[in-house]
Amino acid sequence: MALGHIMLILTLLADGQLSAAFVSTADQAECEARATAIAAILKSGGANVQQIQCLRGSQQFARFSHATASAAPRHAYELTVRDGVLTARPVDSLKDCTPASADAQHYCASSTQTLLAETAKQ
């Protein structure tokens, strides 16, 4: 599995639900620069940003669209970050999200972005 660079943005919605957004980036430096800019924009807009992380991962997500985000269907994911690598597992609902081991960060979140594919081996 080829690992790429992905920014994970976690925000808290008005209903208390954790929301995830995923941004693919070319490398760690681009991810960090974009994360700084995105954090400033989200916070100035009143978003309840829980965290933004630059991680590695082999999964690809549909691009985030601000134009359709409020009306788009939400998809539930179990997110695990272990040793700087993000893995997203689709679940039927957030109630189906189960705790991970203590050696990883674990989040149950919904997103308007769909999981497209794993990056092919190179």
Side-chain angles (χ1 to χ4, degrees), residues 3-76:
L3 294 178
H5 297 270
I6 189 163
M7 182 189 321
L8 171 62
I9 304 164
L10 296 175
T11 56
L12 201 58
L13 300 175
D15 64 1
Q17 183 180 30
L18 194 60
S19 177
F22 311 93
V23 180
S24 295
T25 60
D27 55 36
Q28 186 72 15
E30 179 189 344
C31 184
E32 290 171 4
R34 291 181 71 183
T36 299
I38 289 171
I41 291 167
L42 290 173
K43 289 176 183 174
S44 71
N48 188 345
V49 178
Q50 298 297 294
Q51 64 178 271
I52 298 178
Q53 295 186 66
C54 290
L55 303 163
R56 307 269 302 170
S58 63
Q59 296 170 305
Q60 296 176 340
F61 294 86
R63 289 184 62 121
F64 181 83
S65 172
H66 292 283
T68 61
S70 62
R74 298 199 69 83
H75 308 279

Side-chain angles (χ1 to χ4, degrees), residues 76-78 89-99 106 108:
Y77 295 102
E78 181 177 323
R89 184 177 71 88
V91 292
D92 289 333
S93 79
L94 292 177
K95 291 179 272 184
D96 297 326
C97 187
T98 57
H106 178 77
C108 299

